[in-house]
Amino acid sequence: MSDERNVTNGLPSYAAPAGGRLTEEMLQDFRNTGVLILRDFVTRAACKTLRERANELVAGFDPYEVRSVFSTTSQPQLDDDYFIQSGDKIRFFLESDAFDESGELRQEKEHSLNKMGHAMHDLDPVFDSFSRTPELAEVARRIGFVEPAILQSMYIFKPPNIGGDVVCHQDSTYIYTEPESCVGFWFALEDATTENGCMYFIPGGHRLPLKKRNYRGPDGKLVTETLDDTPWPEERKLAAEANAGTLVVFDGRAPHLSAANRSPKSRHAYTLHVIDRQCRYPAENWLQRSAELPLRGFE
Ligand code: FE2
């Protein structure tokens, strides 16, 4: 029953429609809440394939080499550069608690990472084929994209015991276009629960103003400007628990957060951020790509 409506803790949740053909009811829910949960959008086998490919990429990463670059926390510019230059690369970002006082990893390498980003979808064939399917293209079309472009991909590890929390934010803060067009496509690659740090959304919060904007200042450093300092109505947040294979589509303005993972289970997820090429992409956004890696849509 592809069009059976359901809710996940008050958030709109449906069995994934055939071919990504969102119904008018689904679209209505998305417009009203800023969030749409589509269960079993991808198979568990596809999730496993992506997790295995991520593991292979992790195997080629040396955390001690990266650590030597950020040997002290007093070098925020190096930190910024490593991040800022990752828009057209595959880079690894460690959890802040990855190392102990003596400088050794507390857990094995694959359980020390916060994320990998930000161009796997354009650089790695396995990520490319996961990210570009006719179903995703159809979802993007139905939610109103005219010329969708997959700006970035992120593999989120949320490792056991040390997976950090993410405070309430809007993705359009970081992925800003004029007019705003950012939409997140978040895939649960493992079951995400309140125990292992699932996401929370404030339903309808996408109608709130954009509260912050992050950009490169004149000196190249990243600045986060507060546009509206009203606190988030976090008392209205709802957990978006999601089994592996679930796709959560959410508006770039939709406020969301996740708690730390103190459980023994990892919570791997994969996110695509999509913008419309018809909108202006500011030169001061942190993510800039080299001309050798042109933006592509879902085809
Ligand atoms: Fe986010």
Side-chain angles (χ1 to χ4, degrees):
M1 292 237 294
S2 65
D3 59 352
E4 184 191 357
R5 184 172 195 274
N6 222 317
V7 288
T8 293
N9 184 25
L11 295 169
S13 170
Y14 294 85
R21 291 185 288 275
L22 303 181
T23 62
E24 197 43 53
E25 191 189 15
M26 294 174 190
L27 290 166
Q28 201 81 50
D29 275 343
F30 178 65
R31 287 183 210 116
N32 288 337
T33 61
V35 188
L36 184 63
I37 299 173
L38 300 169
R39 304 184 304 270
D40 298 313
F41 191 90
V42 291
T43 64
R44 284 185 174 256
C47 294
K48 185 162 175 269
T49 301
L50 204 68
R51 291 203 315 268
E52 285 170 355
R53 182 60 190 142
N55 268 339
E56 287 171 11
L57 295 170
V58 169
F61 160 70
D62 179 357
Y64 291 95
E65 199 179 300
V66 169
R67 184 180 156 75
S68 72
V69 177
F70 313 134
S71 51
T72 69
T73 51
S74 61
Q75 298 183 67
Q77 187 54 47
L78 288 177
D79 232 328
D80 270 7
D81 289 348
Y82 184 77
F83 177 78
I84 286 178
Q85 292 159 9
S86 70
D88 49 12
K89 298 181 183 67
I90 300 178
R91 282 193 166 172
F92 299 85
F93 300 86
L94 290 155
E95 279 293 347
S96 55
D97 287 340
F99 293 98
D100 64 19
E101 295 72 30
S102 62
E104 297 297 318
L105 285 182
R106 288 176 206 274
Q107 308 189 140
E108 53 276 51
K109 182 168 60 171
E110 54 275 29
H111 285 159
S112 301
L113 288 160
N114 173 280
K115 68 181 166 194
M116 167 167 70
H118 287 90
M120 288 84 72
H121 63 297
D122 284 332
L123 296 171
D124 183 83
V126 178
F127 276 86
D128 182 359
S129 51
F130 186 98
S131 310
R132 293 188 170 93
T133 63
E135 291 80 14
L136 279 173
E138 185 61 17
V139 170
R141 196 182 70 78
R142 294 208 177 205
I143 61 178
F145 278 101
V146 179
E147 248 189 292
I150 310 176
L151 180 70
Q152 69 166 24
S153 49
M154 289 196 295
Y155 190 99
I156 300 151
F157 293 87
K158 202 81 162 178
N161 309 310
I162 60 165
D165 66 337
V166 178
V167 299
C168 194
H169 66 281
Q170 295 160 309
D171 289 349
S172 287
T173 288
Y174 307 95
I175 303 169
Y176 181 76
T177 63
E178 285 172 348
E180 285 169 46
S181 63
C182 172
V183 172
F185 289 73
W186 181 99
F187 299 87
L189 302 176
E190 295 181 303
D191 297 346
T193 67
T194 52
E195 270 75 57
N196 67 357
C198 70
M199 281 199 291
Y200 289 78
F201 287 92
I202 300 172
H206 64 307
R207 294 210 180 86
L208 293 167
L210 185 68
K211 295 212 187 245
K212 288 184 180 179
R213 204 179 143 203
N214 174 278
Y215 51 87
R216 301 176 196 224
D219 55 0
K221 287 189 185 142
L222 291 178
V223 187
T224 303
E225 185 187 348
T226 298
L227 308 170
D228 173 332
D229 61 2
T230 322
W232 295 111
E234 277 195 49
E235 66 285 354
R236 286 173 38 211
K237 73 175 189 281
L238 298 174
E241 292 197 301
N243 286 333
T246 299
L247 167 65
V248 182
V249 185
F250 59 100
D251 190 285
R253 280 256 188 125
H256 59 286
L257 61 147
S258 64
N261 183 8
R262 299 286 176 246
S263 84
K265 281 188 186 166
S266 57
R267 195 223 72 183
H268 288 200
Y270 178 59
T271 308
L272 299 171
H273 282 101
V274 179
I275 55 169
D276 203 305
R277 304 186 78 149
Q278 305 222 320
C279 303
R280 190 181 81 86
Y281 190 78
E284 62 271 23
N285 276 6
W286 81 263
L287 201 162
Q288 302 293 333
R289 286 172 157 230
S290 72
E292 287 96 79
L293 198 68
L295 272 179
R296 293 167 53 206
F298 289 99
E299 277 78 41

